[in-house]
Amino acid sequence: MVLANETGVQEFVLLGFGVGQQERFLLLIFFIILYILSMAENLTIIILVVLDTHLSRLPMYILLCNFSWLEMCYVTATVPRMLFDLPSLHGIISFHACFLQFYVFFSLGTTESFFLSAMALDRYLAICHPLRYPQIMSKDFCYALVAACWLLGFLWYIFPMILISRLSFCGPNIIDHFLCDPGPILSLACPPLGIAPSVCQIFMNASGLVNVAFVVLSYSVVILTLMKSSYQGGRRKAFSTISFHLVVVTLYYGSITAIYLVPSGENQSEVTKAVTLFYTAVTPFLNPLIYTLRNDQVKEAVSRLWKRLQTRKLTE
């Protein structure tokens, strides 16, 4: 992958957050703690699924394990860089590092959209086609689904990223953000911009709309199926499971949608930063808590792992 920088701009300035030194210090401490907790939570889920023979065979937890790894990558794509820049008034990032962050960040975001769709498909098959579920959602199919999510996610933004990187940057190099976002980058490019803005917008909209439509359709059918169910206990348990999925979906797509609803004005960039910060740093911390909250299978897996550790200590 070759980035063709046709200008003299060799680096960009990330303005970050327009706050004082004391506020930046408090933000630094807060996000260091949040980052460590996010990594620990998601790593715990991965270890639990890998070590527990029961969970490691269930498609939902295979997807959740990969989703947790994705969240670790997602938060690492932005937060460490932001923490590095917070002590100073602004951060300096090279041209190639900026476009690498843009590509990785948006590829991981697209991959997350595909994973949310895959998890919606899993719940649809489990609830609407319970008898065929074990055959359809086999371990091989589940791993193929995981591979497809990662592959599609990282192929999706290659073309837009290359198109934007080939534009001329002959003016200011100041990005009013804490990361390399295509919107601010495109605003710095010199005319003619060609098809780059349109292509970038098409790819962003296509990924978002297709995945949102699939998730909404899947959960709508699931909810209708559950409402028709006569078995109260099973219906309550299934509603409890999908409600956590819906919370995660709402947090992710709700925060992204909020960026497009922000009215133009003086505070637009600050609101955009806050919303971006929420779905890049806060949601990876909240998602493991939401998925494992009141989850009996996770609690049982923790209990089994604890008993195994206790047994191993006694035999040593």
Side-chain angles (χ1 to χ4, degrees), residues 80-210:
R81 175 77 214 190
M82 182 184 70
L83 295 176
F84 179 77
D85 293 337
L86 262 175
S88 57
L89 288 172
H90 53 72
I92 305 295
I93 187 168
S94 70
F95 180 91
H96 289 87
C98 186
F99 276 89
L100 178 63
Q101 187 190 54
F102 155 47
Y103 171 69
V104 171
F105 174 66
F106 273 81
S107 294
L108 289 169
T110 307
T111 304
E112 181 157 347
S113 296
F114 285 120
F115 262 109
L116 290 174
S117 294
M119 294 166 92
L121 174 64
D122 174 70
R123 290 301 85 200
Y124 164 77
L125 292 172
I127 294 170
C128 300
H129 302 282
L131 297 178
R132 296 174 57 197
Y133 177 72
Q135 286 76 37
I136 298 174
M137 208 68 179
S138 64
K139 206 167 185 178
D140 289 342
F141 179 77
C142 190
Y143 284 129
L145 196 60
V146 166
C149 289
W150 283 105
L151 188 63
L152 283 171
F154 274 82
L155 287 176
W156 199 264
Y157 272 97
I158 289 179
F159 184 52
M161 189 272 294
I162 292 175
L163 274 181
I164 297 174
S165 72
R166 290 178 179 273
L167 296 174
S168 296
F169 295 88
C170 53
N173 64 338
I174 298 173
I175 298 175
D176 190 10
H177 213 310
F178 62 87
L179 55 79
C180 291
D181 188 87
I185 292 174
L186 281 169
S187 68
L188 299 178
C190 302
L193 301 183
I195 62 171
S198 300
V199 168
C200 190
Q201 197 64 45
I202 289 169
F203 273 74
M204 288 175 67
N205 292 343
S207 169
L209 291 174
V210 168

Side-chain angles (χ1 to χ4, degrees), residues 221-242:
V221 175
V222 166
I223 291 169
L224 288 173
T225 302
L226 290 175
M227 289 175 68
K228 294 176 183 177
S229 175
S230 57
Y231 179 48
Q232 295 291 331
R235 181 167 64 181
R236 192 179 300 111
K237 185 178 179 181
F239 263 123
S240 177
T241 302
I242 67 164

Side-chain angles (χ1 to χ4, degrees), residues 13-49:
V13 177
L14 297 172
L15 290 184
F17 306 97
V19 294
Q21 185 65 41
Q22 186 176 356
E23 288 82 359
R24 285 200 300 274
F25 177 75
L26 293 174
L27 284 173
L28 180 66
I29 299 300
F30 174 73
F31 285 112
I32 286 175
I33 295 170
L34 193 68
Y35 177 68
I36 292 170
L37 289 175
S38 298
M39 297 295 281
E41 288 173 355
N42 285 287
L43 186 60
T44 300
I45 290 178
I46 294 170
I47 291 171
L48 196 61
V49 173

